[in-house]
Amino acid sequence: QVELVASGGGSVQAGGSLRLSCVISGLTYRPYCMGWFRQAPGNWREGVATVDSNGITSFDRSVKGRATISQDTAKNTLYLQVDNLKPEDSDTYFCAVDQATVEDCSGGACYCGTSSDLQFRSRGTVVTVSS
């Protein structure tokens, strides 16, 4: 059974940085897609970033140029770092993972779609950015 535990949220001033962590256990298949999405109460889920099992990354335009998504396979941990944080980045952040099909992958990269659609998800970690 796949389990994800996200952490690293907190309060930060605008312009600051945060690194979120997600420890993933029970992931035995390849290829896969991992990602982060965020959601505020009453709002839609918003995909933030994805990375596939080949290390190919994708970012939502709201964080592109400010975010880095990475994975440490030895620690079974997924990271999201966001720099130059803005008040509109305040949200509950979730990590997610799902198997990618052979049809989703070609040329060394997989189409991961939107991270909020990935099957296995963590509980959220809250990020608050004050101006």
Side-chain angles (χ1 to χ4, degrees), residues 34-112:
M34 295 179 175
W36 293 87
F37 65 94
R38 58 191 182 187
Q39 184 176 24
N43 286 357
W44 293 104
R45 292 174 183 164
E46 179 185 25
V48 176
T50 60
V51 59
D52 70 14
S53 44
N54 294 312
I56 306 301
T57 60
S58 176
F59 298 91
D60 184 79
R61 59 183 177 182
S62 64
V63 298
K64 200 165 189 177
R66 301 188 294 123
T68 304
I69 185 170
S70 60
Q71 50 185 323
D72 186 330
T73 55
K75 296 181 179 179
N76 296 322
T77 303
L78 176 71
Y79 300 99
L80 176 73
Q81 175 153 341
V82 184
D83 301 319
N84 190 23
L85 282 159
K86 306 175 182 180
E88 51 264 41
D89 292 320
S90 297
D91 244 326
T92 301
Y93 285 71
F94 303 81
C95 56
V97 65
D98 204 349
Q99 184 176 10
T101 66
V102 172
E103 292 76 17
D104 291 331
C105 303
S106 66
C110 300
Y111 173 71
C112 291

Side-chain angles (χ1 to χ4, degrees), residues 30 60 100 116 125:
R30 279 184 168 258
D60 184 79
S116 57
T125 185

Side-chain angles (χ1 to χ4, degrees), residues 3-7 21-25 36 78 95 121-123:
E3 295 184 349
L4 301 91
V5 179
S7 63
S21 301
C22 176
V23 178
I24 303 171
S25 60
W36 293 87
L78 176 71
C95 56
R121 305 164 187 164
S122 68
R123 294 187 176 181

